[in-house]
Amino acid sequence: MNSNGCARDMIDEENARFEGITSRHKDSKGGLIPILHEVQELYGYLPDSAFVRISKTCNIPLSEIYGVATFYSFFSLKPKGKYEISVCMGTACYVKGAGRILDRIREELDIDVGDCTEDGKFSLSACRCLGACGLAPVIKVNEQVHGRLALADVSEVLNQYE
Amino acid sequence: MKTNAQIEEIRRDTFSELIIRKGRKADAETPVKHVMVCAGTGCTSSNSEEIISRLRVQIEKHGLGETVKVVQTGCLGLCAKGPIVIVHPDDCMYTMVTPEDVSEIVESHLVGGTPVTRLSEGDSQVVKDFFNKQMRVALRNCGLIDPENIDEYIAFDGYKALAAVLSEMSPSDVIQTVKTSGLRGRGGAGFSTGTKWEFASKNEAERKYVCCNADEGDPGAFMDRSILEGDPHSVIEAMAIAGYAIGSNQGYIYVRAEYPIAVHRLKIAISQARNYGLLGRNILDSGFDFDVDIRLGAGAFVCGEETALMASIEGKRGEPRVRPPFPAEKGLWQEPTILNNVETLANVAPILLNGAEWFADLGTLKSKGTKVFAIGGKIANTGLVEIPMGTTLREIVYEIGGGIPGGKAFKAAQTGGPSGGCIPAKHIDAPIDYESLIELGSMMGSGGLIVMDEDTCMVDIAKFFLEFTVDESCGKCTPCRVGTRMMYDILDKITQGNGTEKDLDELERYARVITKTSLCALGQTAPNPVLSTLKYFREEYIAHIKEKRCPAGVCKQLIVYAIDPEKCTGCGLCKKNCAFGAISGEKKAPHAIDPEKCVKCGMCLTKCKFGAVTTK
Ligand SMILES: Cc1cc2nc3c(=O)[nH]c(=O)nc-3n(C[C@H](O)[C@H](O)[C@H](O)COP(=O)(O)O)c2cc1C
Ligand code: FES
């Protein structure tokens, strides 16, 4: 099979999964938020085109979908980086200097919270308690947690990611 | 589907297998051991998964597969010393275990019978102190069972309360028992759980709902997540009991999407309970139907508020609405609904099994039972503790928590998260219960307890919480949307060194208005962190305003970086790392920082190995 066919297969597969999600929740009460969760899982974020399709298939006004999606911080309308950095800004981490860690990462990557580096490698977000307060201050890069982080360790941690 | 008799049989069989975890020695003939590894979020973050998989491989390799069982458990609480491994029945707890330690544990302890004292003795006193004053009701199974195995929950009296309720009690008996026990909501407000159920039971309706609040919004707290990760069935069983009491057949657990392990274990627990017929139609042949579904939150703090939470389950923006009508009358989809916190629910089965009087005997006059706290911040033993109500802050900080690290002084403890306040050192002997915390200007909240030392700036902390509420205000009502922003701006001005004394009056005035006029408790309580720090630490605000000084050395605009010539060895590391060329000095002679060039990035502070860089 040539590479074009392969890409087409992937798109077909993605479309099938998308349709599966909408048809599963379309008739259940309060199904919009579960749909948004699963669509975000599928694409990594919520692209505009997805809103239009959800609106058409589920018969929900676009404005309502957009209103819900932008209300909740968990939903992202922008693509994320290959590595998503979440800096815990919970109280336990904050009193142990999480604010300075966040500043340092911002400087190091030259991006702001909510943004993605130009090469698409890192995106940065601040989150609330990760439940690892025993290791405060804590950051998470994709699923990997780095705890007891000192300011001086920041660049070393970022350099681990290719 | 299982009958009650079959469930009882599972209980008997599993219990006899698990009894070694309760301190009973196994007989010498069958040297069975259970190796419990904490797989809560904290320990998972420090690589306990790798420990589990290496243990399994090594145990197989040594042919111990028949006698030694590796069990992944929920959080034991002592997160600071994690990952934690316990070997039963030897009553041996290993702390700060690394994957590299595994072969020694297996070869020396499991094969050779000699515990690895290197990993158990260093912290044995800490472990003793940490658990000594605790009393585990809500956390009874956390660390004791495999949360992904319903049989282990059943072994320790799981689903026994539900069976008893369905066969022997009327709904009003259940409500009366919960009322008499004195159980109050653990989600923040402390409302009587039995009374709430009674309201909902009296409202006639075709459909009613039982909701569980697992949105855990307090940033810096993880009690509810630990219960869900360590003992999900305790919540499901209680929801079914609540459903029976109020006449509801459907429950929803509203849980944060940021809690993937908790969600995963809840899903497993629900499907296991359905398989055993403990959820679904005609539970235990009683004629009672009840099922539970999960709804994921999506990172909005306001969705912890009950009416907002219900709007979110309905698939809308999570904005609160005016009460009354209260949810017990018109809640989810306009039907009578009760909402309880995870920890509240985790107390329900023990109350029904041991009786209302047993529970009412624990705690203080008006606050019964125990409370789980997530202790964090400047404290040695960060983690999760459950203590009888009425325990003092001093006992928590110094006895259980092991005090403040680095010989620093205790300054304050923050409870109640963004709705709460700080308790200063002079009130450290205050008993922890609903009333006394309110009296001190804080509140119980859901159980976050953050310890602060002399290096914490109270103005900065107040600003931190206000920034949080500004971010999280849903925007529906003006006092909260605009008012919190105005308070934040003043605090920001003060931390920049541009405040005036009149600003403090303004802060208090805004606080009064916001408290009185906001739509929901998010706004009504948002000024608390400012008011309580103003009450106890006014002099710190004054220092920022009048002397342009941050006594704790935190507020960036007000501190000056300097090098202590006494401590500086002239190693040159700071000079090498300063990207702004602000540090000068000859090798082996004390260095100095040029305040004109210094941008206060803190790099020299983190690089100096001799503690010579100061920020005052
Ligand atoms: C802004 C706001 C956030 C809240 N967050 C939570 C929360 O995260 N968890 C919780 O159980 N209750 C939270 N509550 C309290 C709930 O509204 C509700 O009182 C509670 O869940 C009822 O359960 P309980 O009676 O068992 O405590 C919050 C309230 C407000 C106003
Ligand atoms: S506050 Fe950061 S992990 Fe809890």
Side-chain angles (χ1 to χ4, degrees):
Chain A
M1 195 194 291
N2 65 26
S3 65
N4 252 338
C6 183
R8 209 173 313 118
D9 280 354
M10 275 166 66
I11 292 173
D12 286 347
E13 151 97 32
E14 221 169 54
N15 282 337
R17 282 177 57 193
F18 188 96
E19 272 158 31
I21 294 168
T22 43
S23 63
R24 212 161 343 111
H25 295 290
K26 171 167 133 190
D27 298 318
S28 68
K29 284 206 270 184
L32 176 57
I33 294 178
I35 290 178
L36 294 177
H37 271 295
E38 290 181 31
V39 170
Q40 174 157 309
E41 213 174 287
L42 182 63
Y43 297 112
Y45 75 113
L46 294 171
D48 284 346
S49 58
F51 288 144
V52 179
R53 285 173 70 187
I54 296 171
S55 172
K56 282 204 183 120
T57 6
C58 305
N59 221 352
I60 307 174
L62 201 52
S63 59
E64 188 180 326
I65 301 175
Y66 192 74
V68 170
T70 50
F71 183 84
Y72 296 97
S73 64
F74 191 79
F75 296 132
S76 169
L77 308 199
K78 286 189 212 163
K80 306 235 172 88
K82 180 174 169 205
Y83 300 109
E84 199 198 348
I85 306 173
S86 316
V87 180
C88 179
M89 288 292 268
T91 323
C93 287
Y94 186 77
V95 303
K96 290 208 164 172
R100 289 186 186 177
I101 302 251
L102 182 63
D103 285 346
R104 176 60 58 81
I105 296 177
R106 262 196 204 126
E107 279 163 24
E108 196 101 354
L109 300 177
D110 197 22
I111 54 173
D112 225 330
V113 173
D115 292 342
C116 186
T117 50
E118 256 168 39
D119 57 2
K121 189 166 157 195
F122 289 110
S123 55
L124 179 61
S125 66
C127 65
R128 293 187 247 136
C129 185
L130 289 169
C133 314
L135 309 176
V138 175
I139 71 167
K140 201 171 87 176
V141 183
N142 291 348
E143 286 315 304
Q144 188 167 14
V145 174
H146 300 267
R148 300 199 178 99
L149 203 64
L151 264 183
D153 303 337
V154 169
S155 34
E156 201 180 307
V157 168
L158 296 183
N159 286 338
Q160 285 172 23
Y161 296 91
E162 290 300 320
Chain B
M1 281 288 274
K2 303 251 185 262
T3 63
N4 201 11
Q6 286 168 323
I7 300 273
E8 281 303 324
E9 200 180 312
I10 293 173
R11 186 179 342 271
R12 256 195 327 272
D13 293 349
T14 321
F15 183 76
S16 64
E17 193 192 315
L18 302 193
I19 194 162
I20 56 168
R21 297 186 198 165
K22 289 269 190 182
R24 165 100 51 100
K25 294 269 178 247
D27 53 71
E29 307 285 287
T30 51
V32 176
K33 289 197 197 305
H34 289 181
V35 183
M36 322 289 287
V37 186
C38 180
T41 297
C43 285
T44 303
S45 306
S46 33
N47 225 354
S48 68
E49 274 177 354
E50 178 67 22
I51 294 175
I52 293 175
S53 66
R54 286 203 194 179
L55 272 168
R56 294 211 162 114
V57 170
Q58 294 266 333
I59 284 168
E60 268 321 303
K61 201 177 103 193
H62 287 89
L64 294 173
E66 293 291 305
T67 49
V68 180
K69 189 170 162 185
V70 179
V71 185
Q72 56 151 7
T73 70
C75 178
L76 265 165
L78 193 48
C79 308
K81 298 288 179 194
I84 289 179
V85 175
I86 298 179
V87 183
H88 291 299
D90 306 346
D91 204 20
C92 176
M93 184 190 273
Y94 295 128
T95 51
M96 302 189 93
V97 178
T98 63
E100 289 70 42
D101 295 328
V102 167
S103 39
E104 192 179 346
I105 293 177
V106 173
E107 279 157 26
S108 167
H109 189 164
L110 302 178
V111 177
T114 317
V116 186
T117 46
R118 172 177 75 81
L119 295 170
S120 64
E121 285 190 342
D123 290 319
S124 63
Q125 191 58 38
V126 172
V127 169
K128 225 193 215 146
D129 292 342
F130 186 79
F131 290 106
N132 194 19
K133 289 220 162 169
Q134 290 199 50
M135 169 161 193
R136 301 196 142 212
V137 180
L139 298 180
R140 60 192 177 280
N141 286 324
C142 288
L144 188 67
I145 63 168
D146 175 355
E148 297 184 10
N149 182 344
I150 189 172
D151 291 355
E152 297 206 352
Y153 176 71
I154 290 174
F156 295 119
D157 289 344
Y159 291 106
K160 201 174 178 178
L162 178 63
V165 160
L166 293 181
S167 62
E168 295 157 19
M169 294 173 83
S170 70
S172 62
D173 290 343
V174 176
I175 291 176
Q176 198 49 49
T177 307
V178 177
K179 252 173 107 174
T180 316
S181 74
L183 176 64
R184 295 168 65 176
R186 303 297 195 234
F191 191 77
S192 157
T193 304
T195 310
K196 190 188 277 187
W197 292 12
E198 192 172 35
F199 286 148
S201 78
K202 289 198 172 135
N203 288 319
E204 295 294 330
E206 188 90 343
R207 301 201 131 261
K208 297 184 187 179
Y209 297 99
V210 173
C211 296
C212 168
N213 192 340
D215 197 39
E216 195 145 65
D218 180 352
F222 56 101
M223 304 72 50
D224 296 345
R225 124 186 270 162
S226 296
I227 293 174
L228 295 175
E229 287 178 358
D231 194 17
H233 286 285
S234 68
V235 175
I236 295 169
E237 181 180 6
M239 288 178 76
I241 293 171
Y244 177 74
I246 70 160
S248 154
N249 306 117
Q250 178 66 46
Y252 288 102
I253 302 177
Y254 187 83
V255 56
R256 289 179 62 187
E258 294 90 332
Y259 284 4
I261 301 179
V263 173
H264 174 71
R265 295 200 181 140
L266 266 176
K267 282 187 181 158
I268 293 176
I270 290 172
S271 87
Q272 289 176 341
R274 281 181 189 151
N275 272 340
Y276 276 17
L278 295 163
L279 283 179
R281 295 211 162 268
N282 193 17
I283 295 173
L284 297 173
D285 215 12
S286 64
F288 171 62
D289 307 335
F290 190 77
D291 209 344
V292 171
D293 279 312
I294 298 175
R295 281 290 180 273
L296 294 187
F301 173 65
V302 71
C303 286
E305 197 278 342
E306 53 184 14
T307 59
L309 182 145
M310 289 169 202
S312 182
I313 295 181
E314 291 172 8
K316 303 187 200 133
R317 288 164 67 94
E319 289 174 356
R321 61 159 175 80
V322 179
R323 299 172 307 172
F326 286 93
E329 199 185 322
K330 279 192 162 54
L332 198 53
W333 290 297
Q334 301 296 311
E335 306 288 359
T337 305
I338 55 166
L339 173 68
N340 279 117
N341 164 265
V342 170
E343 187 189 335
T344 315
L345 290 169
N347 279 296
V348 167
I351 290 174
L352 288 155
L353 282 179
N354 303 327
E357 291 70 27
W358 161 79
F359 193 80
D361 274 347
L362 307 172
T364 63
L365 190 61
K366 286 187 175 167
S367 303
K368 302 301 186 189
T370 58
K371 179 77 194 85
V372 182
F373 284 99
I375 46 178
K378 305 292 184 65
I379 188 150
N381 306 330
T382 41
L384 208 66
V385 305
E386 180 170 358
I387 42 143
M389 295 273 192
T391 304
T392 66
L393 188 55
R394 184 187 297 280
E395 288 170 295
I396 298 179
V397 172
Y398 286 102
E399 293 177 34
I400 299 173
I404 322 284
K408 303 263 178 177
F410 172 84
K411 184 170 187 179
Q414 210 278 349
T415 65
S419 307
C422 292
I423 306 162
K426 70 174 173 194
H427 290 304
I428 195 169
D429 288 308
I432 304 278
D433 65 22
Y434 291 99
E435 277 71 29
S436 63
L437 287 179
I438 297 263
E439 211 167 286
L440 291 174
S442 183
M443 63 182 266
M444 180 78 86
S446 52
L449 196 157
I450 310 289
V451 177
M452 300 169 184
D453 69 4
E454 52 197 280
D455 293 338
T456 316
C457 169
M458 302 317 270
V459 186
D460 181 63
I461 284 295
K463 188 173 115 177
F464 165 77
F465 281 118
L466 255 291
E467 183 176 5
F468 180 85
T469 22
V470 168
D471 250 14
E472 295 293 342
S473 170
C474 77
K476 183 167 174 177
C477 76
T478 317
C480 175
R481 182 185 67 243
V482 181
T484 52
R485 177 87 225 178
M486 290 164 89
M487 288 184 78
Y488 174 83
D489 286 344
I490 296 183
L491 291 168
D492 192 45
K493 199 171 117 190
I494 296 176
T495 56
Q496 308 265 354
N498 299 325
T500 63
E501 272 185 87
K502 215 174 125 244
D503 284 334
L504 300 185
D505 301 332
E506 287 288 278
L507 278 177
E508 280 166 347
R509 195 169 65 88
Y510 289 147
R512 270 198 307 277
V513 176
I514 295 170
T515 306
K516 276 199 185 140
T517 58
S518 291
L519 170 63
C520 84
L522 191 155
Q524 289 156 15
T525 57
N528 284 353
V530 180
L531 291 176
S532 87
T533 45
L534 264 177
K535 178 169 166 191
Y536 295 119
F537 299 97
R538 202 178 184 92
E539 73 287 350
E540 237 174 90
Y541 281 84
I542 300 282
H544 283 75
I545 292 170
K546 280 194 166 166
E547 302 164 35
K548 312 285 174 220
R549 184 173 67 86
C550 174
V554 172
C555 296
K556 220 172 163 180
Q557 311 300 326
L558 302 182
I559 52 178
V560 182
Y561 278 79
I563 292 173
D564 182 350
E566 301 276 301
K567 289 188 182 155
C568 179
T569 63
C571 72
L573 198 59
C574 57
K575 184 167 143 188
K576 205 170 108 211
N577 279 286
C578 181
F580 304 91
I583 302 179
S584 56
E586 297 295 318
K587 266 257 175 262
K588 300 210 169 123
H591 284 42
I593 299 176
D594 178 355
E596 295 285 304
K597 290 189 186 155
C598 174
V599 301
K600 303 173 188 176
C601 69
M603 188 57 105
C604 51
L605 184 71
T606 53
K607 289 288 177 192
C608 180
K609 296 195 172 80
F610 307 97
V613 179
T614 61
T615 57
K616 282 289 154 168

